[in-house]
Amino acid sequence: MGTPPASSRGLISNPVSEAHHEKPFENYVVEKLVGQGWLLGDTSGYDKDFALYPEDLLGWVKDTQSAKWDIRYTAAPPILAVRQCWCRVCQYLACGSGSTSEQALSAPR
């Protein structure tokens, strides 16, 4: 008996189409999300530890809780205000308290 052909041993001589690789799939998903109104982010601003974009989170806090933002953070220089808020949110994310961002903003220092 001879050796079976390569294709019957699970060895395919033709390379797999690029369409089945991760990068084209990722590009397709991003294209569809952007097409539906999602914003395309710059990965350099992504916080891997908390799996989010701090800029987006802080923008959401400012938009949804502007009165509390104004009371708590407008007295500080903008960069310090952002750092204070981000630290407060990180504390709540790290401890897994399940607190909302509203509670994080109003929590005692």
Side-chain angles (χ1 to χ4, degrees):
M1 263 169 74
T3 305
S7 61
S8 68
R9 295 188 315 243
L11 304 173
I12 301 173
S13 59
N14 295 331
V16 177
S17 165
E18 284 291 316
H20 299 290
H21 290 195
E22 185 174 348
K23 193 64 175 170
F25 175 70
E26 181 183 314
N27 291 340
Y28 173 79
V29 170
V30 169
E31 178 186 320
K32 292 299 180 182
L33 290 171
V34 169
Q36 294 177 19
W38 287 73
L39 300 176
L40 183 59
D42 176 7
T43 57
S44 67
Y46 187 73
D47 186 305
K48 292 178 184 178
D49 292 332
F50 292 104
L52 52 77
Y53 287 92
E55 183 179 336
D56 290 349
L57 174 67
L58 295 172
W60 177 79
V61 170
K62 288 179 192 179
D63 290 348
T64 61
Q65 299 164 55
S66 60
K68 288 189 183 207
W69 176 269
D70 291 344
I71 291 168
R72 182 172 277 279
Y73 296 108
T74 53
I79 191 71
L80 184 57
V82 167
R83 178 177 287 261
Q84 288 172 344
C85 183
W86 178 236
C87 288
R88 171 89 39 218
V89 171
C90 289
Q91 287 173 343
Y92 280 86
L93 291 174
C95 74
S97 68
S99 299
T100 64
S101 61
E102 184 171 339
Q103 290 167 324
L105 279 176
S106 58
R109 294 181 203 221

